[in-house]
């Protein structure tokens, strides 16, 4: 089942399928290059296994575990990460 | 070749104990400044070891060597172009995979390297056992296990470093990507090798395939055919893998890092939840997290301000005494007054205002950052701060701004990108500091009514909100959402924190004090020469006509640059000589309406000179002046509008 990372519940895990570039970004060629590159540099690459630990209240960031480390990621960014949910 | 002077750069992720190692190595022989023309901090130090004089450069803590932030650019330019004799890659043994991702990139830059496998104690606590000999073999670079906080392995690290340099530059093997990628790297390398570049050929080829803007731009200038070919090859990889070429390369790099990590480490997780995990759970808890945060921040700020306030008062009294001694010695001649009022008072202002708050603030800030709590606060506050286009991390400097804008400005360095730093710094200068609060409460609160004082605070919040959003939209560069590592809680290394505080303080004094002294000297000189009345007259169209204030407020507003609370004291003195009353309630032409307008303008119009100095230090002259003049203009506009609105309401 495919879901956005932002839709995963605490405790759920999955494998990243893809990261969507920023839709309304104005740059010519590199569509949201910096954003996507940043996520990938932090280890959120396609194929990486990811577990949601919890999310901050009031639609705050999400705490995830990826590649043995703990990250906080903003909800806006989490929306652009497509994940195949593991049962 | 044997040389006596060698240069070693420390590189690694943020929060891996790099600064602890740096402080062990350099002790008190260090200097903290900025990279030339940049707002990024540069720490340098020297160490004498085995007959060598070793210059140590502490590169910024980063996760990658791409172009995400100015820190990443600085680091890779430094390593590739300045060619340090050795790079010590500090690695957090407890988060090996992520750290090795960075190590692999250093290897691609073909830097001679030694790996400090740091925080071995933390790894052990997490049940991670690492075979460092095996890691050494796999990386092709010496690996030294260290526990920086207890100095373990630091000597061995330096031995290995000197040994590596003496053996001559040993190029690390680099990594091999998948076949499709590797074939294209080779192809591109051949083309690139014809160019004269300060970077390693293979690295340039990889960066071209990744679509690295900076490298691509450079190559396009030299030979557009190569950048064209690179784009074509990248498209081919994209076709094969279904992801962008940059994604494919980054992902393969991480896979290699992961493979190495899995091969060298054994993890036996403990069965019971350790203390630091429980602490993490409770401090980021959706309900409990907030009262805990409020308690921690309030008590820390209370500590900062009571210490600051007490020390500040004490120093003021002390200098008061000096003043009477000074006057009895040198009299009150013009020159003597000028020297006291201009030079010495500027110095006093710096010492009594900035330092008492700065010292505890730096200590607290580094404590929060080092222990890991800062990232938890950012986690909890991110959503709120996002409303003004900032990250959760900016919450600390913003809150601190209510006490004093100076440390708040300096604290903005915890933001990750240059864009965020500028934005946070700008917002922070709009926060009413304690001196501004003295005016808000002492004038409007006392003479107009408490609800009006409260209203001013609310207006200020609204202004921060609006201007923050506007600046967020207008600033060039890509806005980035929050993505932040929350490293495990740990006990901060006190010695490092104290040293960090000391060297930043020293740097601030060197930078800010001349500015503060010159500023106050100029103003005092104007006063002595009787220029102030003229200036007040010149300012009449603004103060009297537009803002509806008494003419003499022009003088006080100029003095407010030195210290904002001076505006109120000056106003009192001037009213006394003019109208013979020291009670604001009885001054003709200075009713509630004027009080509100005056306070509003004082609140917004300019950061005080110490803050300007902090701005210059952090952002450079151009931006500091821009922010200053913008805020003056803005305050005047807002003040005039408020005056007219208050008239309409019949106040």
């Amino acid at each position: 089942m495919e879901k956005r990372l932002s839709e995963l519940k605490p405790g759920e895990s999955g494998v990243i399928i893809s990261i969507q570039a920023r839709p309304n970004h104005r740059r010519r060629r590199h569509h949201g290059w910096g954003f996507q590159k940043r996520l990938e540099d932090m280890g959120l690459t396609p194929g990486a296994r990811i577990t949601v630990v919890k999310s901050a209240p009031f639609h705050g960031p999400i705490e995830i575990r990826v590649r043995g480390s703990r990250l906080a990621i903003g909800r806006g960014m989490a929306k652009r990460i497509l994940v195949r949910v593991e049962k | 070749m044997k040389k006596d002077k060698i240069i070693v750069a420390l590189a690694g992720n943020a929060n891996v104990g790099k600064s602890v190692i740096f402080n062990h190595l350099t002790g008190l022989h260090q200097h903290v400044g900025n990279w030339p023309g940049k707002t990024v901090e540069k720490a340098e130090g020297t160490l004498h070891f085995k007959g060598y004089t070793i210059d140590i450069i502490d590169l910024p803590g980063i996760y990658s060597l791409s172009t995400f932030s100015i820190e990443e650019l600085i680091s890779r330019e430094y390593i590739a172009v300045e060619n340090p004799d050795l790079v010590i890659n500090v690695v957090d043994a407890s988060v090996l995979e992520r750290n090795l991702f960075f190590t692999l990139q250093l290897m691609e830059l073909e830097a001679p390297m030694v790996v400090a496998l740091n925080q071995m104690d933390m790894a052990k606590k997490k049940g991670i056992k690492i075979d460092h000999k095996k890691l050494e073999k796999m990386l092709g670079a010496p690996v030294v296990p260290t526990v920086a906080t207890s100095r373990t392995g630091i000597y061995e690290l330096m031995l290995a470093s000197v040994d590596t340099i003496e053996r001559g530059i040993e190029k690390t093997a680099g990594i091999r990507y998948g076949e499709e990628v590797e074939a294209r790297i080779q192809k591109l390398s051949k083309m690139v090798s014809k160019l004269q570049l300060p970077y390693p050929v293979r690295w340039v080829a990889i960066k071209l395939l990744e679509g690295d803007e900076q490298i691509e731009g450079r190559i396009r200038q030299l030979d557009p055919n190569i950048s064209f070919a690179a784009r074509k090859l990248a498209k081919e990889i994209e076709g094969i893998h279904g992801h962008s070429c940059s994604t494919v390369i980054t992902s393969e790099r991480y896979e290699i890092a992961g493979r190495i990590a899995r091969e060298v480490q054994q993890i036996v997780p403990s069965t019971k939840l350790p203390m630091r995990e429980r602490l993490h759970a409770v401090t980021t808890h959706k309900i409990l997290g907030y009262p805990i945060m409020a308690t921690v921040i309030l008590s820390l700020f209370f500590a900062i301000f009571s210490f600051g306030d007490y020390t500040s008062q004490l120093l003021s009294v002390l200098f008061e005494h000096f003043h009477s001694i000074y006057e009895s010695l040198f009299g009150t001649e013009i020159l003597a007054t000028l020297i006291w009022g201009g030079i010495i008072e500027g110095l006093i202002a710096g010492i009594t205002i900035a330092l008492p708050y700065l010292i505890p603030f730096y200590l607290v800030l580094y404590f929060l950052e080092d222990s890991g709590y800062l990232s938890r606060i950012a986690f909890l506050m991110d959503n709120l701060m996002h409303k003004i286009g900032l990250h959760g991390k900016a919450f600390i400097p913003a809150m601190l701004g209510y006490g004093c804008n100076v440390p708040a400005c300096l604290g903005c360095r915890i933001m990750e990108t240059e864009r965020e730093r500028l934005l946070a710094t700008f917002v922070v200068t709009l926060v009413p500091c304690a001196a501004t609060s003295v005016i808000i409460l002492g004038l409007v609160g006392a003479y107009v009514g408490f609800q009006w004082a409260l209203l001013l605070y609310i207006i200020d919040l609204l202004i921060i909100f609006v201007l923050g959003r506007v600046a967020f939209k207008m600033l060039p560069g890509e806005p980035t959402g929050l993505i932040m590592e929350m490293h495990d809680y740990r006990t901060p290394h006190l010695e490092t924190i104290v040293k960090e505080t000391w060297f930043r303080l020293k740097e601030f004094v060197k930078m800010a004090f001349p500015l503060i002294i010159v500023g106050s000297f100029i103003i005092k000189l104007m006063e002595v020469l009787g220029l102030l009345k003229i200036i007040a007259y010149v300012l009449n169209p603004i103060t009297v006509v537009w803002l509806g204030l008494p003419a003499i407020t022009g003088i006080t507003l100029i003095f407010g640059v030195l210290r904002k609370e001076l505006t109120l004291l000056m106003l009192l003195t001037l009213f006394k000589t003019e109208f013979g009353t020291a009670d604001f309630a009885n001054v003709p032409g200075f009713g509630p309406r004027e009080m509100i307008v005056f306070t509003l303008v004082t609140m917004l119009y300019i950061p005080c000179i110490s803050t300007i100095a902090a701005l210059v230090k952090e952002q450079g002259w151009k931006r500091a002046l821009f922010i200053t003049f913008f805020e003056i203009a803005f305050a005047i506009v807002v003040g005039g509008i408020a005056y007219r609105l208050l008239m309409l309401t019949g106040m």
Side-chain angles (χ1 to χ4, degrees):
Chain A
M1 191 176 40
E2 284 176 21
K3 266 189 186 176
R4 291 170 193 285
L5 174 57
S6 54
E7 294 164 349
L8 257 60
K9 286 182 192 61
E12 279 191 305
S13 307
V15 173
I16 298 178
I17 302 169
S18 66
I19 295 168
Q20 298 165 321
R22 208 172 274 270
N24 52 355
H25 202 258
R26 277 161 292 163
R27 256 191 225 172
R28 299 154 283 122
R29 220 168 58 75
H30 299 287
H31 268 284
W33 195 80
F35 153 77
Q36 192 171 347
K37 181 83 183 138
R38 173 69 173 154
L39 286 181
E40 290 169 1
D41 279 345
M42 294 301 281
L44 299 168
T45 56
R49 199 165 173 279
I50 192 170
T51 306
V52 171
V53 180
K54 67 162 79 102
S55 53
F58 318 115
H59 277 267
I62 301 168
E63 179 190 336
I64 56 171
R65 288 206 145 266
V66 66
R67 299 187 189 276
S69 71
R70 188 196 334 256
L71 296 180
I73 176 169
R75 207 160 277 267
M77 295 179 110
K79 269 187 195 150
R80 300 205 174 87
I81 301 174
L82 216 56
V83 176
R84 182 175 303 114
V85 184
E86 286 176 349
K87 281 288 142 209
Chain B
M1 187 186 72
K2 175 148 171 116
K3 39 181 195 171
D4 312 327
K5 211 173 156 65
I6 44 187
I7 299 175
V8 171
L10 289 177
N13 286 187
N15 296 308
V16 293
K18 216 157 54 65
S19 49
V20 181
I21 292 186
F22 177 74
N23 277 301
H24 277 320
L25 292 179
T26 56
L28 294 172
H29 303 279
Q30 50 172 288
H31 170 79
V32 182
N34 276 5
W35 289 86
K38 300 285 189 317
T39 63
V40 180
E41 188 176 278
K42 180 186 193 184
E44 284 174 277
T46 29
L47 160 76
H48 297 280
F49 188 81
K50 298 266 164 198
Y52 292 100
T53 303
I54 308 178
D55 265 341
I56 300 188
I57 315 277
D58 191 14
L59 293 172
I62 46 176
Y63 292 97
S64 177
L65 287 171
S66 53
T67 53
F68 165 69
S69 65
I70 200 93
E71 278 85 350
E72 295 189 356
L73 275 173
I74 286 176
S75 298
R76 76 182 201 188
E77 281 296 306
Y78 181 80
I79 294 169
V81 182
E82 303 287 318
N83 264 322
D85 295 290
L86 186 81
V87 176
I88 294 180
N89 175 211
V90 185
V91 162
D92 182 348
S94 69
V95 198
L96 197 57
E97 184 174 346
R98 168 181 313 294
N99 279 263
L100 285 178
F101 174 74
F102 184 74
T103 309
L104 295 180
Q105 294 187 65
L106 283 175
M107 283 163 60
E108 284 181 337
L109 258 184
E110 296 176 14
M113 184 170 73
V114 169
V115 174
L117 194 58
N118 196 31
Q119 303 195 3
M120 288 298 278
D121 55 335
M122 188 58 130
K124 201 169 155 194
K125 269 191 214 155
K126 283 167 90 172
I128 303 173
K129 249 176 81 180
I130 298 176
D131 183 347
H132 70 270
K133 283 286 165 212
K134 196 169 175 185
L135 181 62
E136 190 167 291
K137 221 172 261 161
M138 294 187 82
L139 293 176
V143 175
V144 183
T146 56
V147 181
T149 43
S150 66
R151 262 181 199 272
T152 313
I154 302 296
Y155 182 77
E156 288 79 3
L157 178 66
M158 284 326 287
L159 273 185
S161 300
V162 167
D163 181 55
T164 307
I165 294 169
E166 279 176 350
R167 272 189 292 132
I169 291 167
E170 219 180 319
K171 208 171 95 175
T172 38
I175 47 173
R176 280 189 67 82
Y177 291 91
E179 256 169 63
E180 300 91 2
V181 179
E182 196 60 45
R184 285 164 182 87
I185 293 175
Q186 306 284 354
K187 224 185 225 173
L188 211 51
S189 294
K190 252 186 218 130
M191 301 176 80
V192 175
S193 64
K194 295 186 189 99
L195 301 174
Q196 287 291 323
L197 286 165
Y199 314 105
V201 170
R202 187 181 155 88
W203 184 77
V204 173
I206 295 170
K207 284 292 148 188
L208 280 174
L209 285 176
E210 279 185 279
D212 185 287
E213 282 171 352
Q214 194 219 11
I215 296 297
E216 211 185 56
R218 251 182 116 147
I219 298 295
R220 207 178 314 129
Q221 274 180 352
L222 291 169
D223 188 348
N225 285 332
I226 297 181
S227 93
F228 184 73
R231 229 175 274 175
K232 206 176 125 247
L233 291 170
K235 270 270 174 300
E236 288 173 16
I237 294 174
E238 228 172 296
I240 298 169
H241 286 268
H243 290 293
S244 82
C245 187
S246 151
T247 305
V248 173
I249 290 178
T250 311
S251 183
E252 285 195 14
R253 210 181 272 140
Y254 252 117
E255 287 318 312
I256 296 167
R259 203 164 53 230
I260 299 175
R262 277 190 297 278
E263 282 214 24
V264 300
Q265 68 184 6
Q266 273 183 307
I267 307 178
V268 192
S270 67
T271 40
K272 72 176 205 317
L273 207 57
M275 186 59 196
R276 54 168 200 285
E277 287 298 326
R278 265 182 285 178
L279 200 58
H280 168 78
V282 82
T283 48
T284 54
H285 189 270
K286 61 183 178 218
I287 299 161
L288 281 176
Y290 290 93
I292 293 174
M293 180 183 74
T295 315
V296 171
I297 291 182
L298 285 178
S299 42
L300 285 178
F301 280 13
F302 181 74
I304 293 176
F305 292 128
S306 21
F307 177 85
D309 204 41
Y310 178 76
T311 323
S312 182
Q313 299 274 343
L314 199 70
L315 288 169
S316 297
V317 173
L318 206 67
F319 284 122
E320 209 71 19
H321 280 290
F322 275 138
H323 193 191
S324 19
I325 298 171
Y326 177 88
E327 275 186 351
S328 62
L329 277 177
F330 300 101
T332 48
E333 295 291 308
I334 285 187
L335 190 67
T337 315
L338 200 58
I339 290 174
W340 178 267
I343 297 169
I344 300 175
E345 267 201 352
L347 196 66
I348 292 174
I351 295 172
T352 56
I353 300 175
L355 294 191
Y357 295 98
L358 264 184
I359 296 171
F361 166 64
Y362 266 133
L363 288 172
V364 163
L365 185 71
Y366 284 120
F367 181 82
L368 287 176
E369 198 177 22
D370 254 34
S371 64
Y373 193 47
L374 185 69
S375 59
R376 272 74 180 182
I377 294 174
F379 179 74
L380 291 174
M381 296 310 292
D382 186 63
N383 198 43
L384 184 73
M385 296 310 285
H386 233 84
K387 301 259 186 294
I388 46 175
L390 289 173
H391 280 182
K393 272 190 182 177
F395 182 65
I396 293 289
M399 281 302 290
L400 201 84
Y402 281 97
C404 179
N405 281 347
V406 176
C409 275
L410 299 177
C412 286
R413 65 169 57 243
I414 55 174
M415 306 306 293
E416 234 178 300
T417 65
E418 197 174 23
R419 185 188 141 92
E420 287 161 12
R421 266 197 297 276
L422 179 58
L423 203 60
T425 312
F426 173 63
V427 166
V428 150
T429 59
L430 290 167
V431 174
C433 69
T436 316
S437 286
V438 167
I439 303 166
I440 297 174
L441 297 173
L443 192 63
V444 174
Y447 291 94
V448 187
F450 183 71
Q451 67 277 23
W452 285 95
L454 199 64
L455 185 68
L456 282 176
Y457 279 109
I458 294 169
I459 289 173
D460 193 80
L461 271 181
L462 284 176
I463 287 171
I464 288 174
F465 178 76
V466 172
L467 287 184
R469 295 260 9 143
V470 170
F472 177 73
K473 291 265 187 269
M474 277 174 40
L475 271 183
E478 191 177 358
T480 37
L482 178 83
I483 170 127
M484 161 188 80
E485 190 179 9
M486 290 196 276
H487 67 79
D488 290 310
Y489 274 123
R490 58 169 180 244
T491 325
H493 190 239
L494 200 64
E495 196 192 320
T496 304
I497 291 179
V498 170
K499 274 188 194 155
E500 279 178 325
T501 301
W502 165 249
F503 286 105
R504 306 271 158 337
L505 211 61
K506 210 168 122 186
E507 192 53 29
F508 177 77
V509 168
K510 258 201 319 216
M511 164 75 224
F513 276 41
L515 199 65
I516 297 172
I517 291 168
V518 169
S520 41
F521 182 75
I522 291 172
I523 292 178
K524 196 71 193 177
L525 191 68
M526 291 197 297
E527 188 194 7
V528 171
L529 296 177
L531 285 173
L532 285 180
K533 286 254 174 209
I534 300 169
I535 290 172
Y537 182 73
V538 173
L539 288 176
N540 259 356
I542 294 173
T543 46
V544 179
V545 180
W546 173 246
L547 295 173
L549 296 172
I552 47 169
T553 51
I555 302 175
T556 60
L557 286 176
I558 291 171
F559 266 92
V561 178
L562 295 181
R563 301 156 61 162
K564 282 202 169 180
E565 72 269 32
L566 268 185
T567 50
L568 200 62
L569 299 174
M570 283 277 302
L571 207 57
L572 209 60
T573 336
L574 287 171
F575 278 155
K576 209 170 173 181
T577 46
E578 200 107 328
F579 305 109
T581 172
D583 189 354
F584 282 118
N586 302 325
V587 177
F590 197 70
R593 187 173 60 212
E594 286 75 21
M595 288 181 188
I596 292 172
V597 173
F598 178 78
T599 308
L600 193 61
V601 171
T602 320
M603 184 169 82
L604 296 171
Y605 82 121
I606 198 171
C608 70
I609 195 153
S610 308
T611 308
I612 296 175
L615 278 176
V616 172
K617 180 178 178 292
E618 292 296 308
Q619 299 285 338
W621 278 101
K622 235 168 86 186
R623 286 180 180 167
L625 287 178
F626 178 80
I627 291 177
T628 306
F629 286 114
F630 169 80
E631 285 178 6
I632 294 174
F634 183 75
I636 292 170
V637 171
V638 171
I641 293 170
Y643 173 64
R644 275 150 192 88
L645 282 178
L646 288 169
M647 287 253 270
L648 279 179
T649 58
M651 205 174 168

